[in-house]
Amino acid sequence: MMNYAVRAQVPTLAFFLDSDRLTVASRFGSILTGDTFREVKEDIDSYKGALDRMENTQVVFTADDLDDIRLQGEAFEQRYGVYPSLVIIDNLGNLTSAMGDEWALLKALTLEFNNLAHEWECAIVAAHHMTDLVTCEPLQRDKMLGKVSQYPRLILSIGFNPANREYKVAVVKNSSGPSDPQAANPVVMYADTSRMKLSEDDPLWSPSGSLEANRYSLPESSHSVARGGWSAL
């Protein structure tokens, strides 16, 4: 989701409810520059120039329920004159785990997000957990915790093997095309987790050219909504 946010270059409201400011900033810095997560985290102040390039992204670290998310979206629109085109939520469990009937609330929450996406005319991308099976393969659709597959329009099941860096993506639900509910035919990609990088065909992939040449090389965007949005980090 963080790679997607960096590359989409659209007004983005991101809720990172399962992480802290330094970790999130370091991960974004790694994606932006190609430097390792450890390098960025240990010298985060020197990456302010890279992070400031994400001026179209606003980050929130606390939200207890849907009302908080809606309030942040309304504040986004009041400040910038547009609703976010992309809303990221990491993760659904952080909005429901403290409630009594977590599974019922998860189902209601996914319905509300579906309605909110129509209202704001945006994409809402949320992370959610599968059951804790010991496997590096993507799990079937029915292995989603709470079995909340009714309302999401697209569900990707992810499996990662750290031994060979295979990052497998199965489209277990797709309302606009073919689905693979059993996760039998995943797309195989490769991930360098030390640099937060995803590649389609090369496990040793890195940005084209030298890392130095690719620093801060995001394309210019006409969708900028803020400047210095990372200064507080």
Side-chain angles (χ1 to χ4, degrees):
M1 291 193 302
M2 298 178 83
N3 271 272
Y4 184 44
V6 167
R7 287 160 174 76
Q9 286 288 284
V10 297
T12 299
L13 179 60
F15 294 86
F16 293 107
L17 310 178
D18 196 28
S19 193
D20 59 84
R21 287 170 171 79
L22 178 58
T23 297
V24 169
S26 300
R27 286 176 175 169
F28 273 128
S30 183
I31 295 169
L32 287 160
T33 66
D35 293 343
T36 67
F37 170 79
R38 183 185 298 274
E39 289 171 332
V40 178
K41 189 173 183 180
E42 290 177 350
D43 191 21
I44 189 64
D45 289 343
S46 68
Y47 289 86
K48 184 179 184 300
L51 294 173
D52 281 346
R53 291 296 307 278
M54 296 192 63
E55 57 191 18
N56 58 349
T57 300
Q58 293 296 293
V59 178
V60 180
F61 293 94
T62 58
D64 293 329
D65 51 33
L66 182 65
D67 288 340
D68 288 340
I69 290 175
R70 181 178 285 277
L71 184 63
Q72 290 288 347
E74 297 292 343
F76 192 103
E77 191 275 336
Q78 287 291 318
R79 183 174 184 182
Y80 305 119
V82 294
Y83 282 100
S85 298
L86 173 63
V87 176
I88 287 175
I89 299 167
D90 182 23
N91 59 64
L92 289 181
N94 287 80
L95 292 169
T96 61
S97 58
M99 307 301 176
D101 192 344
E102 182 178 355
W103 298 154
L105 186 58
L106 273 172
K107 186 174 183 179
L109 193 61
T110 54
L111 174 59
E112 290 300 323
F113 282 145
N114 184 59
N115 295 335
L116 194 61
H118 287 288
E119 179 182 338
W120 289 355
E121 297 183 342
C122 71
I124 297 180
V125 182
H128 187 49
H129 291 291
M130 297 288 203
T131 55
D132 292 328
L133 299 180
V134 182
T135 178
C136 295
E137 299 298 314
L139 293 179
Q140 300 92 331
R141 188 169 70 195
D142 61 5
K143 296 298 189 294
M144 295 177 64
L145 288 182
K147 302 187 184 302
V148 288
S149 61
Q150 181 176 356
Y151 298 114
R153 314 309 297 166
L154 177 69
I155 301 175
L156 306 178
S157 179
I158 307 297
F160 176 62
N161 186 335
N164 59 14
R165 296 185 177 183
E166 285 189 348
Y167 186 95
K168 296 183 178 180
V169 183
V171 184
V172 295
K173 180 179 179 180
N174 183 4
S175 298
S176 301
S179 297
D180 180 19
Q182 297 303 311
N185 299 290
V187 173
V188 180
M189 302 175 69
Y190 294 91
D192 178 355
T193 54
S194 69
R195 288 184 166 83
M196 303 294 295
K197 297 296 182 182
L198 292 175
S199 163
E200 293 186 1
D201 54 9
D202 184 0
L204 300 178
W205 174 84
S206 63
S208 58
S210 68
L211 290 181
E212 187 62 31
N214 282 275
R215 293 173 71 88
Y216 319 155
S217 59
L218 280 180
E220 296 297 329
S221 171
S222 60
H223 302 286
S224 174
V225 296
R227 292 196 177 275
W230 290 90
S231 58
L233 293 177

